[in-house]
Amino acid sequence: MILQRIILGFLAIAPLTGYDLKRHFDSTVNYFWSADKAQIYRTLAALVSEGLAEVRTVPGVGGPSRQEHHITAAGRAALHEWLTSDLDRPLERNAFLARVFFADDLLPEEIAELLEQQRSAAQATLATLELVRDSTAEPHDRAGRLRLATLDNGLRHTRTELEWLDSLIEELR
């Protein structure tokens, strides 16, 4: 259901093809919500069958026609209902934290390696997010500000994770 609502959110911004949706997922919300191509296309089909979106064929310019998905009035209502409903309890699945939780039987150097791997991944994520932030113009409207706020959230969470990792690495030395 949440994937449906996220796709409706994208369609509320602009009509998109399945391919365009996948690109938008990968370049924006992928830091907090991911979806593969098959999930996106299945969800689009469900949205159309439920009347929350419709498909329009747009003739291609120098290429094949495009199947653009447009949000319907019912889709806008469903998106609004979701945005104003009680918050979903996030089901956190974090394989790294599960490993840390059970790592007490590992050798100290194996624990250190586990933590260093996560630290390297977090540093890479932080570098990517900082590049995105540096290349993003300051928003001039509320929509842009809210989208930028999700990027800022990712930056803060990643910096906090790095601080936690550094503290844990130091504690276990």
Side-chain angles (χ1 to χ4, degrees):
M1 166 123 153
I2 294 173
L3 180 58
Q4 281 191 348
R5 297 315 182 248
I6 291 171
I7 289 175
L8 286 174
F10 277 124
L11 296 179
I13 295 170
L16 298 166
T17 66
Y19 175 81
D20 293 334
L21 272 166
K22 179 61 176 149
R23 277 195 2 235
H24 284 298
F25 263 92
D26 290 348
S27 65
T28 59
V29 301
N30 192 46
Y31 295 102
F32 56 87
W33 199 275
S34 63
D36 63 36
K37 192 165 53 166
Q39 289 174 307
I40 290 170
Y41 281 98
R42 272 194 313 272
T43 303
L44 283 170
L47 289 171
V48 170
S49 80
E50 293 172 22
L52 302 177
E54 61 186 18
V55 180
R56 296 182 191 159
T57 301
V58 178
V61 179
S65 297
R66 298 168 32 99
Q67 300 297 309
E68 279 189 347
H69 293 78
H70 295 251
I71 193 169
T72 63
R76 286 189 188 281
L79 178 61
H80 183 267
E81 180 182 324
W82 177 64
L83 291 171
T84 59
S85 68
D86 290 339
L87 292 176
D88 307 298
R89 174 149 167 42
L91 297 175
E92 186 71 29
R93 290 183 175 167
N94 187 320
F96 167 71
L97 287 179
R99 289 179 186 206
V100 170
F101 189 86
F102 295 111
D104 59 316
D105 284 337
L106 294 179
L107 297 171
E109 55 271 12
E110 292 172 321
I111 295 171
E113 176 60 24
L114 174 66
L115 297 174
E116 284 299 334
Q117 284 180 28
Q118 184 66 15
R119 191 174 188 291
S120 293
Q123 286 177 315
T125 298
L126 182 61
T128 300
L129 292 174
E130 286 175 337
L131 282 173
V132 171
R133 180 64 182 99
D134 291 345
S135 66
T136 302
E138 287 302 314
H140 298 292
D141 61 5
R142 183 173 58 184
R145 180 64 204 119
L146 290 170
R147 290 185 187 105
L148 185 60
T150 64
L151 175 61
D152 290 340
N153 178 276
L155 284 162
R156 289 175 190 225
H157 277 273
T158 305
R159 288 179 183 131
T160 299
E161 181 179 23
L162 282 166
E163 288 175 21
W164 173 77
L165 284 163
D166 288 343
S167 173
L168 183 56
I169 288 167
E170 184 61 32
E171 178 184 333
L172 295 175
R173 280 195 179 143

